[in-house]
Amino acid sequence: MDRYAVLGQPVAHSKSPRIHAAFAESLGQKLLYEACEIAPDELGPSLSRFHAEGWAGFNLTVPHKQAGAALCESRSEAAEAAGAVNTLIRTATGWHGDNTDGAGLVRDLLANLGVAIKGKRVLVLGAGGAARGIVAPLLAEGPAELAISNRNPWKPEEIAAALKPLGNIVPRTHLSLKGDRYDLILNATSAGHSGAIPRLPPKLIAEGGIAYDLNYGQAAVPFLVWAKSEGAARVSDGLGMLVEQAAEAFQRWRGLRPETAAVLASLRG
Ligand SMILES: NC(=O)c1ccc[n+]([C@@H]2O[C@H](COP(=O)([O-])OP(=O)(O)OC[C@H]3O[C@@H](n4cnc5c(N)ncnc54)[C@H](OP(=O)(O)O)[C@@H]3O)[C@@H](O)[C@H]2O)c1
């Protein structure tokens, strides 16, 4: 039976084994999917050993997405743009790295939530691996403007410069956002894990604007509370993105795209 796993540290909390088991069952696919705790300095040797043992594929989560990219023998365009991989696909001689986070986010916004990106002013908060992974797929949807703002002001500049061939990304700082309005604000920071939000000026959300947190569970609460208090017309956490990025990975491994609605409903339940 083909074997898959999510590799991370910590990883015990991961919902990926449950999501992939549900996908496999819904499609009648026989496979094994587990969570493996791997320390950063073990990733390279572990991937070599897993290849020799015949594993079929992996998801990488914190802290392995960027280091994993360097360990792949080839990478998709999405992985190159993101500088990070979250999905490894077995090849005869090693691992092909892909990044399905951005595709998962865009699918959650467009297909699940009915949120338009085209022609909208979009702001991404944060400039870490997740932000870098979502900007190219967001650009591809034709926003009127795509801005990135971060606590460390240099990182948005770096992302905008690195991805210039793909389109115009406007690097900003949180402070400089004062007076601007956005139709869609995406929180791609990890601040919520410590109960915080980025320090933002007031009145950032345009009338009818939408706030989306890539985090879910308790980590999404501070930003979504802030967004409601600032008048967001709609808010959403990132649980749908998690399920959709998993569906994209499943499709790359198995050639079949699972239905996601029932799995998402079950996780929310
Ligand atoms: N739903 C999903 O499927 C999904 C997928 C991927 C990631 N995520 C979530 O997205 C979040 C970001 O992931 P990542 O991989 O990009 O993490 P990362 O590479 O560690 O980047 C963290 C980002 O958060 C910012 N930040 C952290 N604490 C902050 C604070 N107190 N105030 C303001 N900014 C703060 C950092 O700013 P500085 O650069 O200034 O330090 C940086 O931009 C994580 O919480 C992760 O769980 C969700």
Side-chain angles (χ1 to χ4, degrees):
M1 206 182 292
D2 287 342
R3 292 168 78 194
Y4 302 85
V6 55
L7 310 181
Q9 189 180 53
V11 79
H13 66 285
S14 173
K15 296 182 192 305
S16 293
R18 181 172 162 193
I19 294 170
H20 283 284
F23 287 163
E25 191 184 347
S26 70
L27 291 166
Q29 296 273 300
K30 299 272 180 243
L31 57 86
L32 291 172
Y33 188 109
E34 58 196 272
C36 296
E37 179 106 8
I38 302 283
D41 59 354
E42 288 171 18
L43 185 64
S46 299
L47 286 176
S48 302
R49 178 164 52 83
F50 289 145
H51 194 272
E53 289 172 3
W55 290 65
F58 294 99
N59 287 129
L60 300 187
T61 187
V62 176
H64 297 319
K65 290 185 182 183
Q66 271 138 335
L71 294 166
C72 291
E73 63 173 21
S74 59
R75 282 165 294 276
S76 67
E77 272 181 32
E80 292 285 2
V85 294
N86 73 340
T87 302
L88 302 188
I89 301 145
R90 184 187 177 81
T91 68
T93 48
W95 300 104
H96 174 72
D98 205 341
N99 192 314
T100 65
D101 280 340
L105 169 72
V106 166
R107 185 145 179 135
D108 191 37
L109 288 170
L110 298 182
N112 297 343
L113 300 171
V115 171
I117 300 166
K118 191 173 176 55
K120 302 293 180 187
R121 297 193 73 203
V122 179
L123 170 65
V124 174
L125 301 170
R132 197 174 163 130
I134 64 175
V135 287
L138 286 170
L139 270 178
E141 295 301 321
E145 178 184 328
L146 180 59
I148 307 188
S149 174
N150 192 49
R151 184 175 59 179
N152 173 337
W154 297 106
K155 288 190 191 170
E157 300 271 351
E158 286 163 14
I159 293 177
L163 300 187
K164 188 139 189 70
L166 302 180
N168 192 34
I169 297 169
V170 186
R172 303 291 301 268
T173 63
H174 296 337
L175 181 63
S176 77
L177 294 170
K178 195 161 180 273
D180 283 338
R181 303 273 181 280
Y182 291 90
D183 303 306
L184 174 60
I185 302 184
L186 300 146
N187 181 27
T189 77
S190 55
H193 287 287
S194 46
I197 58 165
R199 282 190 72 182
L200 300 169
K203 301 194 175 77
L204 202 53
I205 306 175
E207 200 178 330
I210 293 160
Y212 185 103
D213 197 327
L214 272 65
N215 296 285
Y216 46 86
Q218 207 52 37
V221 171
F223 177 72
L224 298 183
V225 166
W226 170 85
K228 281 182 197 159
S229 75
E230 285 289 319
R234 281 177 73 190
V235 302
S236 176
D237 68 12
L239 198 58
M241 173 183 173
L242 178 77
V243 174
E244 295 297 343
Q245 64 77 27
E248 296 284 329
F250 192 97
Q251 182 171 30
R252 282 156 180 71
W253 291 327
R254 312 293 297 181
L256 297 167
R257 195 175 201 286
E259 288 294 325
T260 52
V263 178
L264 183 53
S266 141
L267 288 176
R268 290 215 185 278

